[in-house]
Amino acid sequence: MASTLLRRALLSARLIHPSATFPPQTSQILSSLSTVQKRLLFNGTVKTYTVHNPKTTGWIRCMAFSAEAKSTRSVSTNEPVVSVDWLYDNLKDPYVKVLDASWYMPDEQRNPIQEYQVAHIPGALFFDVDGISDQTTKLPHMLPSEEAFAAAVSALGIENKDDLVVYDGKGLFSAARVWWMFRVFGHNRIWVLDGGLPRWRASGYDVESSASSDAILKASAASEAIEKVYHGQAVGPITFQTKFQPHLVWTLDQVKRNVEEKSHQHIDARSQARFDGAAPEPRKGIRSGHVPGSKCIPFPQVQHIVMSILL
């Protein structure tokens, strides 16, 4: 009977909250729910009501869930962003993991891991853009190998079944880089937080002022896993399987060939001064100027326009 009632409740989108008191057989049924059903249970809109219990002398307070389309499974992977309101509603979903991917240019003199420890979205993990990179080159944060990326992401506790939301401290900057990295390695269920941490805080949502020891250990473990892979050492269990998507990244040879063939338009997102070679590069040893035939669309200006709209 309980099984029939529960099935009817699920089909009619009226779900009993799992923290309520149930008869033993109903609890057993709840524990056997599928992943999708559990997502609905934890992501629905709570509604309370009072019903009479014929086996007792009084009334009992119950909770029901209306299975509105709040689960991350209802968010299209074709949409690159989610709102801060959406994240707030889904923050406690055990299948949603949040990544702080803050990174800053060297001349800004800002430390992303320190800023993460001071304030971050509750439960967020720190993704080290510089650390999770190709260790065989002196160039900064180049794309790591599949094996290295899988090892680092697994050390963070991320699995292929997870839905990821990534943000940064500027609002819209390095988070997009990490969004792209995951998609390059075959994980499409990732979204950038619209407006990032500035929008989250401006909306009045809480931040954590200190990182848990577990979060810091995971960030360190991810960097260590990368180094082990490039040194041919064994790493911990791999929970994230990669599937490289070559169409999402160009090699240097492809760029050189396109300079001659001009089949695609190269876009340079740096400032106009750096593009023109009038301003020095913020990294030592990098020549000024731009790739022949490229056009300049300065990201700082685009970012300013976007953030003005968002905030």
Side-chain angles (χ1 to χ4, degrees):
M1 181 64 177
S3 177
T4 301
L5 291 175
L6 184 61
R7 179 177 295 278
R8 289 177 181 174
L10 289 171
L11 291 175
S12 62
R14 307 292 294 185
L15 309 175
I16 300 300
H17 192 279
S19 65
T21 301
F22 304 103
Q25 64 270 28
T26 306
S27 297
Q28 293 174 6
I29 293 169
L30 285 171
S31 65
S32 66
L33 290 178
S34 69
T35 298
V36 173
Q37 290 169 328
K38 287 178 180 178
R39 292 181 77 95
L40 289 173
L41 282 170
F42 284 103
N43 287 290
T45 299
V46 179
K47 294 182 180 180
T48 60
Y49 60 94
T50 305
V51 297
H52 183 259
N53 185 351
K55 294 185 179 181
T56 66
T57 57
W59 296 74
I60 57 174
R61 190 70 171 172
C62 298
M63 299 181 73
F65 270 45
S66 173
E68 295 181 357
K70 286 190 175 181
S71 170
T72 53
R73 295 299 171 186
S74 67
V75 181
S76 171
T77 54
N78 292 325
E79 293 293 332
V81 299
V82 293
S83 69
V84 293
D85 295 332
W86 181 93
L87 179 58
Y88 178 79
D89 289 338
N90 289 273
L91 195 58
K92 294 184 179 180
D93 185 330
Y95 297 92
V96 172
K97 291 181 179 176
V98 183
L99 302 178
D100 184 323
S102 299
W103 180 88
Y104 305 102
M105 296 295 289
D107 58 351
E108 293 182 88
Q109 297 184 344
R110 295 177 64 175
N111 188 312
I113 186 64
Q114 289 182 358
E115 292 188 13
Y116 165 80
Q117 291 176 292
V118 171
H120 59 269
I121 292 175
L125 299 167
F126 182 75
F127 188 101
D128 186 356
V129 173
D130 279 329
I132 304 179
S133 62
D134 185 355
Q135 303 296 302
T136 65
T137 176
K138 293 182 180 180
L139 295 174
H141 48 251
M142 293 292 100
L143 194 67
S145 67
E146 287 188 78
E147 182 183 3
F149 186 81
V153 169
S154 296
L156 285 174
I158 296 172
E159 302 178 35
N160 293 91
K161 67 181 181 180
D162 292 329
D163 293 332
L164 308 175
V165 176
V166 58
Y167 72 90
D168 60 56
K170 281 193 169 182
L172 183 60
F173 187 56
S174 51
R177 158 75 185 212
V178 175
W179 172 87
W180 168 77
M181 289 176 70
F182 273 94
R183 294 179 76 90
V184 165
F185 291 116
H187 190 77
N188 291 335
R189 299 203 63 79
I190 180 169
W191 297 268
V192 173
L193 183 63
D194 209 349
L197 187 60
R199 181 67 180 273
W200 177 269
R201 302 187 76 164
S203 299
Y205 294 131
D206 292 336
V207 294
E208 289 181 341
S209 298
S210 62
S212 67
S213 57
D214 181 61
I216 296 300
L217 288 174
K218 284 182 177 179
S220 298
S223 296
E224 291 175 4
I226 283 276
E227 294 180 3
K228 286 183 178 180
V229 168
Y230 283 107
H231 285 86
Q233 301 174 5
V235 296
I238 301 299
T239 60
F240 186 90
Q241 303 298 325
T242 60
K243 187 176 181 181
F244 185 64
Q245 306 295 308
H247 65 285
L248 294 180
V249 58
W250 269 25
T251 64
L252 177 59
D253 287 338
Q254 286 176 294
V255 173
K256 288 180 176 178
R257 187 163 56 249
N258 189 63
V259 170
E260 301 297 329
E261 297 177 352
K262 298 180 175 60
S263 61
H264 294 73
Q265 176 61 60
H266 290 149
I267 299 298
D268 191 322
R270 298 172 303 154
S271 68
Q272 188 70 50
R274 289 173 63 191
F275 179 84
D276 293 336
E281 287 297 305
R283 303 183 186 89
K284 294 181 179 180
I286 303 297
R287 291 184 298 166
S288 298
H290 59 268
V291 174
S294 58
K295 293 183 178 180
C296 183
I297 302 181
F299 176 76
Q301 295 180 23
V302 175
Q303 183 190 36
H304 177 73
I305 294 172
V306 171
M307 293 307 296
S308 297
I309 296 173
L310 292 175
L311 298 177

